[in-house]
């Protein structure tokens, strides 16, 4: 006979998280081992809100050091190796027999067998950055085999291992769903809350603008916000994060559910998403608030046209209707981490009077851009093109030529696809035309290079930021300085050759190093502006060796460095 208790145990085993209709089920729980043989502690969680993307994996702390062995989490074969200066840095992809792919990024180097495989092809193709797709017979691996060493390469802010699990459709899945266990008994934090009027008639406390709600912690561990008045269709937003045991850093939450007047009206869960959705994070968050305050408020309603698959079971898209006179509404947010520790926020909304008159906003000097129609306009020597679909919604933007600059609004509206800025260069003929580029002017005056193309007399560049643009000229070539050797140095006992490279205007675009006329591999670490050659590559010969390093910036200025290096084996 099945007792009630054993039924509950059975239910818990079969349905570890009930009530989530679209949660992916039947993921293997013991298939993958940990990729590091230390206690797993996270500096980043799956789905965490980052700049222009949701974090696609776990960032596992490596005790602030690089060089920890990284293990194949299951049997399989290396199906992809990608080395980039930016992004994932050195990354390894392993395909497993069950179809899942594990990904390990920001590595310092690969295991000797894989390192030899990669270097051979880097030398053959004469490049550091490379992408390889070995077949299923070339680099087979056993579970637990050391495949690489942890590092800090690419866009990494400190030593850690970025670890992902993808399915055969290249969707990324929360690795914790595969049974990876991380101690967490702390509840998510509730840091800031906002209320948003969502149509032209709606108000929050009498005003037609977003209102920040004071968060009041309660004795019983829940949260309240001050009751507020509203009219019309409104939405709520929250800035929340999770803390794990023994950790000071904050990570992302796992799921969030809201109830309006007792019934569920919105849910989001970070268990799986695709890379092509990830930029829509800028539509999820209150983008303007983020740009002004550097904190991310998640809007708890579905923005128009959002394809995000993290939204579940929404009613009215999570929006709240507060039009019925003399009513008080309850709204509840429940925020959960992966271990089901939860924080609850109770909100009380009092119906306000219908606003007396329609507000007539002052739109003088602003240009209306319909997000479904392509926009093309000239401003003096500049022209601006905003393709249909580049914006998520219609916008009023200040666009004007100002001195030698083009002002294209402020970076407070998210842009999904490239807009194009062009400049008529015909007055600059005779000059070194190639040295010009379109730059984004930072609020503090710095110029950021944007990849620009000169076609005839038109210079143009694509950008996904509103802001101020100008045409800049880079007439300074890069600098190259050797760090651990000099011209005519003896390098018989050296392990590496290191050079510092820099370009103060348009930035470094590329480099090429040769020894006695033959390509040698140099790894570029942009964070410390360093080129490194590993002398274990064994390319030096007895006697004099001529090292030549050419570095090119983003407009094509280049600098050549030469040194003679003495070597005796
Ligand atoms: Zn990461």
């Amino acid at each position: 006979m099945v007792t009630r208790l054993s039924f509950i145990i059975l239910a818990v085993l079969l349905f570890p998280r009930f009530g989530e209709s679209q949660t992916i089920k039947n993921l293997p729980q013991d298939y993958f081992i940990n990729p590091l043989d230390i206690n797993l502690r996270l500096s980043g969680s799956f789905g965490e809100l980052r700049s222009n993307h949701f974090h696609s994996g776990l960032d596992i702390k490596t005790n602030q050091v690089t060089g920890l062995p990284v293990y194949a989490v299951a049997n399989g074969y290396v199906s992809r190796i990608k080395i980039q200066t930016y992004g994932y840095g050195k990354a390894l992809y392993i395909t497993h027999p069950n179809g899942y792919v594990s990904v390990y990024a920001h590595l310092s180097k690969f295991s000797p067998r894989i390192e030899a495989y990669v270097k051979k092809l880097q030398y053959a193709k004469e490049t550091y950055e490379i992408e390889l797709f070995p077949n299923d017979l070339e680099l087979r691996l056993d579970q637990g085999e050391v495949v690489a060493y942890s590092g800090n390469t690419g866009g990494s802010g400190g030593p850690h291992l970025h670890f992902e699990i993808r399915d055969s459709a290249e969707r990324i899945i929360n690795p914790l769903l595969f049974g990876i266990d991380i101690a967490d008994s702390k509840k998510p934090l509730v840091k800031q809350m906002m209320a948003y009027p969502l149509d032209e008639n709606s108000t929050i406390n009498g005003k037609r603008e977003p209102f920040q709600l004071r968060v009041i912690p309660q004795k019983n561990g829940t949260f309240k916000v001050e009751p507020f008045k509203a009219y019309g269709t409104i939405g709520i937003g929250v800035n929340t994060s999770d803390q794990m045991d023994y950790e000071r850093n904050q990570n992302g939450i796992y799921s969030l559910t809201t109830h309006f007047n007792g019934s569920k009206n919105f849910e989001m869960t970070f268990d799986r998403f695709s890379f092509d959705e990830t930029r829509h994070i800028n539509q999820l968050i209150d983008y303007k608030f983020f740009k002004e305050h550097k904190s991310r408020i998640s809007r708890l309603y579905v923005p128009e046209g959002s394809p995000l698959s993290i939204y579940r079971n929404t009613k009215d898209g999570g929006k709240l209707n507060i039009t019925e006179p003399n009513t008080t509404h309850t709204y509840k947010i429940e925020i959960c981490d992966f271990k089901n520790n939860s924080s609850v926020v109770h909100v009380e909304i009092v119906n306000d009077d219908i606003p007396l008159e329609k507000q007539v906003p002052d739109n003088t000097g602003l240009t209306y851009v319909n997000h479904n129609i392509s926009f093309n306009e000239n401003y003096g020597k500049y022209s601006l093109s905003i393709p249909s679909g580049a914006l998520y919604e219609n916008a009023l933007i200040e666009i004007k030529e100002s001195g030698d600059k083009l002002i294209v609004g402020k970076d407070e509206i998210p842009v999904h696809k490239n807009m194009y800025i062009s400049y008529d260069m015909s007055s600059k003929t005779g000059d070194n035309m190639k040295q010009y580029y379109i730059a984004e002017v930072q609020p503090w005056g710095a110029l950021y290079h944007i990849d620009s193309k000169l076609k005839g007399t038109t210079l143009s560049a694509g950008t996904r930021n509103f802001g101020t643009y100008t045409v800049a000229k880079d007439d300074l070539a890069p600098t190259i300085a050797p760090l651990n050797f000099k011209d005519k140095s003896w390098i018989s006992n050296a392990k590496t050759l290191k050079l510092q490279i820099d370009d103060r205007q348009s930035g470094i675009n590329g480099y090429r190093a040769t020894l006695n006329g033959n390509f040698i591999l140099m790894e570029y670490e942009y964070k410390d502006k360093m080129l490194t050659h590993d002398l274990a590559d064994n390319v030096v010969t007895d006697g004099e060796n001529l090292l030549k390093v050419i570095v090119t910036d983003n407009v094509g200025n280049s600098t050549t460095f030469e040194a003679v290096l003495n070597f005796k084996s």
Side-chain angles (χ1 to χ4, degrees):
M1 200 182 92
V2 178
T3 63
R4 191 178 154 80
L5 180 67
S6 62
F7 173 76
I8 291 170
I9 291 170
L10 190 68
V12 168
L13 290 173
L14 289 176
F15 310 106
R17 297 183 169 274
F18 6 74
E20 288 169 11
S21 57
Q22 292 170 63
T23 293
I24 23 178
K25 295 208 176 85
N26 303 322
L27 295 180
Q29 294 300 295
D30 296 314
Y31 192 86
F32 298 119
I33 61 165
N34 290 344
L36 296 171
D37 69 351
I38 55 172
N39 262 343
L40 296 193
R41 300 165 54 213
L42 300 187
S43 57
S45 62
F46 182 85
E48 191 168 294
L49 313 181
R50 299 269 180 97
S51 276
N52 303 318
H53 69 285
F54 297 100
H55 189 234
S56 55
L58 302 178
D59 280 349
I60 305 172
K61 295 186 181 183
T62 53
N63 302 328
Q64 276 129 38
V65 297
T66 61
L68 299 188
V70 174
Y71 303 93
V73 294
N75 291 348
Y77 68 94
V78 176
S79 52
R80 185 179 175 196
I81 299 164
K82 189 168 183 183
I83 299 179
Q84 296 169 273
T85 298
Y86 303 99
Y88 281 26
K90 295 187 186 181
L92 187 76
Y93 298 67
I94 301 175
T95 296
H96 304 286
N98 62 355
Y100 290 104
V101 177
S102 56
V103 183
Y104 316 77
H106 309 307
L107 303 166
S108 59
K109 61 179 177 180
F110 304 108
S111 68
R113 177 164 66 115
I114 301 170
E115 190 80 6
Y117 178 94
V118 175
K119 278 212 171 172
K120 194 176 161 199
L121 289 160
Q122 283 175 313
Y123 271 91
K125 297 185 177 180
E126 306 199 344
T127 178
Y128 169 57
E129 292 197 319
I130 199 164
E131 185 171 20
L132 304 168
F133 297 92
N135 69 37
D136 58 355
L137 300 172
E138 287 178 278
L139 295 166
R140 287 178 162 273
L141 301 162
D142 292 327
Q143 183 177 52
E145 182 174 335
V146 174
V147 292
Y149 298 89
S150 68
N152 187 33
T153 54
S156 169
H160 75 279
L161 175 69
H162 173 96
F163 176 68
E164 283 176 19
I165 296 178
R166 299 184 185 181
D167 65 14
S168 46
E170 280 279 302
R171 289 177 300 191
I172 32 272
I173 302 177
N174 192 334
L176 299 180
L177 289 165
F178 292 87
I180 292 173
D181 192 45
I182 307 224
D184 184 2
S185 58
K186 291 190 192 174
K187 297 195 293 184
L189 303 170
V190 178
K191 297 189 284 191
Q192 286 166 311
M193 290 213 25
M194 295 285 284
Y196 300 96
L198 295 181
D199 64 38
E200 54 175 7
N201 264 326
S202 46
T203 58
I204 312 283
N205 284 333
K207 292 194 170 153
R208 296 171 208 256
E209 53 197 50
F211 187 88
Q212 189 163 350
L213 304 164
R214 193 158 67 91
V215 179
I216 310 163
Q218 302 294 291
K219 285 208 180 84
N220 65 3
T222 65
F223 298 87
K224 260 172 108 169
V225 298
E226 282 174 294
F228 64 95
K229 286 183 162 190
Y231 176 83
T233 303
I234 69 161
I236 302 293
V238 64
N239 174 9
T240 177
S241 63
D242 188 44
Q243 270 192 303
M244 301 209 165
D245 292 359
Y246 321 112
E247 308 292 347
R248 300 183 72 117
N249 60 290
Q250 294 174 15
N251 294 328
I253 60 153
Y254 174 62
S255 69
L256 184 153
T257 311
T258 70
H259 286 80
F260 183 47
N261 293 328
S263 44
K264 188 192 265 195
N265 75 332
F266 177 88
E267 186 181 333
M268 59 183 193
T269 303
F270 293 103
D271 55 14
R272 176 175 66 190
F273 62 90
S274 309
F275 285 104
D276 52 12
E277 320 174 30
T278 201
R279 193 174 172 88
H280 289 272
I281 186 178
N282 290 338
Q283 210 186 0
L284 166 79
I285 61 167
D286 179 342
Y287 189 83
K288 184 174 184 222
F289 190 91
F290 170 59
K291 289 291 162 175
E292 285 167 354
H293 305 280
K294 294 289 153 230
S295 70
R296 292 183 176 94
I297 307 256
S298 294
R299 302 190 294 172
L300 308 182
Y301 52 90
V302 183
E304 208 182 300
S306 176
L308 285 182
S309 61
I310 56 165
Y311 297 133
R312 309 279 160 80
N313 305 320
T314 67
K315 190 169 167 276
D316 302 327
K319 295 171 182 172
L320 318 180
N321 187 304
I322 319 283
T323 42
E324 201 182 319
N326 305 314
T327 49
T328 297
H329 303 263
T330 61
Y331 182 74
K332 185 179 90 168
I333 310 171
E334 188 177 9
I335 305 162
C336 291
D337 63 22
F338 195 81
K339 290 282 185 149
N340 250 329
N341 304 299
S342 72
S343 288
V344 175
V345 189
H346 292 283
V347 181
E348 198 178 289
I349 309 162
V350 180
N351 168 260
D352 203 353
D353 298 333
I354 184 163
L356 287 177
E357 39 193 293
K358 281 208 171 180
Q359 196 181 22
V360 185
D362 179 16
N363 295 334
T364 332
L366 301 180
T367 304
Y368 178 79
V369 179
N370 181 322
H371 76 294
N372 284 321
I373 299 175
S374 84
F375 173 91
N376 300 284
E377 201 63 66
N378 297 320
Y379 302 88
K381 287 190 166 142
Y382 287 98
S383 62
L384 172 69
S385 153
I386 306 176
S388 159
L391 306 186
Y392 297 110
E393 47 193 83
N394 303 336
L396 282 159
I397 305 159
E398 184 189 32
I399 311 172
K400 63 176 186 189
E401 192 190 20
S402 167
D404 55 355
K405 299 185 178 76
L406 179 69
I407 295 169
V408 191
K410 277 190 273 185
D411 187 14
E412 55 185 31
I413 296 172
V415 180
H416 191 68
K417 321 190 277 197
N418 267 345
M419 315 183 283
Y420 296 90
I421 291 165
S422 305
Y423 186 82
D424 176 7
M425 297 281 289
S426 48
S427 63
K428 291 191 156 65
T429 43
D431 224 333
N432 194 345
M433 301 278 276
K434 276 191 186 159
Q435 290 180 331
Y436 289 96
Y437 61 100
I438 290 179
E440 186 180 346
V441 185
Q442 300 305 303
W444 55 95
L447 300 180
Y448 279 15
H449 168 267
I450 304 178
D451 198 19
S452 310
K453 284 192 174 61
L454 182 67
K455 216 176 180 183
T457 55
T458 306
L459 184 67
S460 59
T463 175
R464 291 197 285 185
N465 279 336
F466 283 114
T468 299
Y469 292 86
T470 193
V471 172
K473 190 179 188 190
D474 178 356
D475 46 17
L476 287 178
T479 57
I480 307 175
L483 289 176
N484 62 349
F485 64 93
K486 287 182 201 145
D487 189 26
K488 304 201 169 60
S489 279
W490 278 91
I491 56 157
S492 308
N493 297 317
K495 288 197 159 57
T496 58
L497 299 175
K498 286 181 185 291
L499 303 111
Q500 191 111 53
I501 64 171
D502 200 4
D503 186 81
R504 298 183 56 184
Q505 291 178 329
S506 63
I508 303 285
N509 177 265
Y511 60 93
R512 180 177 167 83
T514 57
L515 200 68
N516 305 321
N518 300 315
F519 168 87
I520 60 166
L521 180 63
M522 283 215 159
E523 303 199 350
Y524 176 37
E525 179 49 78
Y526 76 95
K527 297 187 288 293
D528 35 57
K529 304 179 184 202
M530 189 110 72
L531 288 180
T532 304
H533 170 71
D534 186 351
L535 286 163
D537 290 357
N538 235 341
V539 289
V540 281
T541 51
D542 274 2
E544 289 193 341
N545 293 267
L546 176 63
L547 173 71
K548 190 169 170 183
V549 181
I550 303 171
V551 178
T552 310
D553 69 18
N554 277 307
V555 299
N557 299 312
S558 72
T559 300
T560 302
F561 168 88
E562 286 185 341
V564 172
L565 301 170
N566 296 302
F567 181 80
K568 192 167 188 308
S569 53

